[in-house]
Every structure is written in C-alpha cells, then in structure tokens.
Amino acid sequence: MSEFIKVGVKSDFKDLRGKAIKVHDTTVAVIRIADRIYAIQDACPHMGASLADSVVGRGQVICSWHGWAYDLETGACDMARANCAKIFPVKIEGEDVLVGPAPQEEKAPEPEPEPLIEWDPDKFLKKKPEPSEES
Ligand code: FES
C-alpha cells in the first residue's frame, strides 16, 4: 500500500487543531498550522496518548499527557532521540488533503558479534620450567 489516501478537504482541518484519521492500517493525527497541514502518528511514542488531541504550535505538537514535544516536520522528540514519531507525507490537490504512507525506516545494520575470547592456557597457567632450563 503505497498510495496517498484522501483524508478530507482543507476546510475540514481547523487551525492549530488535530484530527485522528485512519490511513492504511495506522491512525494518523492530521494537524493544521496556518496553511500547512502535517500528518504524524497519532499514538504518542511515550505511552500512546492521542497527538490529535494535543497542543499544537511553533511547528510542534505537545503531547497532552506528559508534555513531550514532537517536531511536525521530522517527528523528532525533545525528550529522547529514540522516541521519534513517524511523519507521513501530505499532498494538497486543489482542496483535497491526501496522506501517504510513512517512509520505510532504515534498518540499522546488525552489530558484529563480539569475538569470543580465545583460551590460551599458557597465558594463564604458570609454566613449569623445562628440565634443561633447571640446571
Ligand atoms: S503519553 Fe505522550 S508524553 Fe507521555
């Protein structure tokens, strides 16, 4: 599913307000700030509060439960880099507002496994002197 879905017309979205809308299999908060319309995952990455019902301003949505703020362009959170919210692309066609799927997350490469420690008994056990060395 990679196509954009119509979520409404521009006038459906009030300034500084969000609306939770199902897009594909995800609920997205569609948020308007002046003439810009943004789409961000609705469930706050912290504990799942609806970002559509949260405070909006200065290019951010601030979660109403614990105050974590998410940038509406990037999804970056002010509290923890690991808790970014997914941003969905928005297209405006005439009056129609369309939301596309979130870009696929780049998978971080698997870390190389730690090498096993090689057991070298000579390094850990005292070596008895060779008979030729004793005399
Ligand atoms: S649920 Fe959103 S900040 Fe805690």
Side-chain angles (χ1 to χ4, degrees), residues 41 44-46 68-70 75-86:
Q41 73 179 67
C44 176
H46 180 216
W68 290 20
Y70 298 94
C77 177
D78 64 340
M79 294 299 282
R81 193 174 151 80
N83 287 308
C84 285
K86 278 186 189 160

Side-chain angles (χ1 to χ4, degrees), residues 48-113:
S50 171
L51 294 177
D53 296 335
S54 296
V55 178
V56 176
R58 296 187 179 180
Q60 293 181 322
V61 58
I62 301 163
C63 182
S64 57
W65 281 12
H66 309 103
W68 290 20
Y70 298 94
D71 184 291
L72 288 168
E73 295 276 355
T74 64
C77 177
D78 64 340
M79 294 299 282
R81 193 174 151 80
N83 287 308
C84 285
K86 278 186 189 160
I87 295 295
F88 295 75
V90 174
K91 266 202 285 194
I92 307 294
E93 289 181 355
E95 287 300 307
D96 293 342
V97 178
L98 301 104
V99 173
Q104 294 297 314
E105 289 172 19
E106 282 181 32
K107 255 193 157 183
E110 289 289 321
E112 289 289 320

